[in-house]
């Protein structure tokens, strides 16, 4: 496991963007599962505005590590956020975007998306293997849409599962822990003082670390890097 600590969220995005560009150049095709939330917006804006031509986007296939069960036009949609901050600003083959159908019935969509991922990606240890999974971490230690109250989704046998947001009750589709940990590479992007305590507990295996799903993200054979700003990493 590696850490890459930068001064500011913008610098974190720049550090990760450099890594992502190198990965895209080194791989004929790159299957990447994106995270949602607010942190990736800085990265997507940066990629779109400064690296739109640095990457042969036809090599990159976009999936999501989790998606809210809402229509693609909904302000909560991780897909819509990615369109607004990245896809609307770069030239890429539309067929390379494999979105979760947030507008569909959740249980059916979890099965459909799992089948799409399984059909499209190579398999390792009997599970689909992403080249790269980008993850965020919530203030409660969740990652993707595996929340502490549903930590069992780390060990689900399926590729995808239906999750429930603990406060809003919003249904989500999430990759399960086994598929996440089957990736060739996992990169966390975590910024802000709101994440300091959880990062401290996870890295020092202290406090309530065992109840945080993010604590269990560690690719079996792949590479794990935490890209953080100084605020999130200030207790390391
Ligand atoms: C989502 C994300 C989720 C996110 C964390 C961190 O759909 O919300 O995939 O796992 O990465 O909640 O979100 P922020 O980047 O907004 O802190």
């Amino acid at each position: 496991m590696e850490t890459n600590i930068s001064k500011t969220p913008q610098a974190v995005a720049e550090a990760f963007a450099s890594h992502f560009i190198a990965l895209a150049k080194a791989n004929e095709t790159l299957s990447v599962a994106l995270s949602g939330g607010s942190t990736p917006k800085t990265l997507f804006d940066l990629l779109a505005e400064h690296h739109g031509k640095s990457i042969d986007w036809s090599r990159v296939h976009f999936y999501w590590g989790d998606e809210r069960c809402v229509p693609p036009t909904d302000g909560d949609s991780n897909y819509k956020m990615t369109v607004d901050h990245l896809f609307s600003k770069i030239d890429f083959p539309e067929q390379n975007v494999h979105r979760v159908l947030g507008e569909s019935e959740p249980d059916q969509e979890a099965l459909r998306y799992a089948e799409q991922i399984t059909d499209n990606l190579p398999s390792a240890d009997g599970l689909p293997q992403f080249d790269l999974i980008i993850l965020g971490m919530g203030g409660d230690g969740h990652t993707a849409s595996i929340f502490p109250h549903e930590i069992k989704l780390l060990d689900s046998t399926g590729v995808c599962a239906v999750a429930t947001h603990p406060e809003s009750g919003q249904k989500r589709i999430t990759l399960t822990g086994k598929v996440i940990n089957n990736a060739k590479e996992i990169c966390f992007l975590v910024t802000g003082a709101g994440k300091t305590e959880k990062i401290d507990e996870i890295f020092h295996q202290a406090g309530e670390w065992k109840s945080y799903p993010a604590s269990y993200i560690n690719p079996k054979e792949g590479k794990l890097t935490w890209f953080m700003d100084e605020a999130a990493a200030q207790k390391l």
Side-chain angles (χ1 to χ4, degrees), residues 90-152:
I90 60 171
D91 293 328
F92 69 96
E94 299 267 343
Q95 67 268 22
N96 285 23
V97 175
H98 312 280
R99 74 176 181 91
V100 179
L101 304 182
E103 65 274 30
S104 296
E105 194 281 322
D107 290 310
Q108 287 174 16
E109 180 54 17
L111 291 173
R112 186 206 68 83
Y113 201 54
E115 195 171 327
Q116 182 178 22
I117 290 170
T118 304
D119 289 348
N120 292 359
L121 297 190
S123 172
D125 286 342
L127 287 168
Q129 185 174 55
F130 283 93
D131 294 311
L132 171 65
I133 296 181
I134 303 170
L135 293 174
M137 184 192 71
D140 59 357
H142 82 261
T143 191
S145 280
I146 304 177
F147 294 93
H149 75 297
E150 290 178 331
I151 199 162
K152 66 183 184 324

Side-chain angles (χ1 to χ4, degrees), residues 35-40 66 68 78 135-138 142-145 172 195:
S35 71
S38 57
T39 302
D66 68 316
R68 293 80 180 277
N78 288 335
L135 293 174
M137 184 192 71
H142 82 261
T143 191
S145 280
R172 307 236 181 131
K195 312 292 172 70

Side-chain angles (χ1 to χ4, degrees), residues 14 43 59 75 99 118 148 155 165 172 185 215 220:
E14 286 161 5
L43 168 67
R59 291 180 168 205
R99 74 176 181 91
T118 304
D155 298 316
H165 190 280
R172 307 236 181 131
E185 181 163 353
S215 299
K220 286 195 302 270

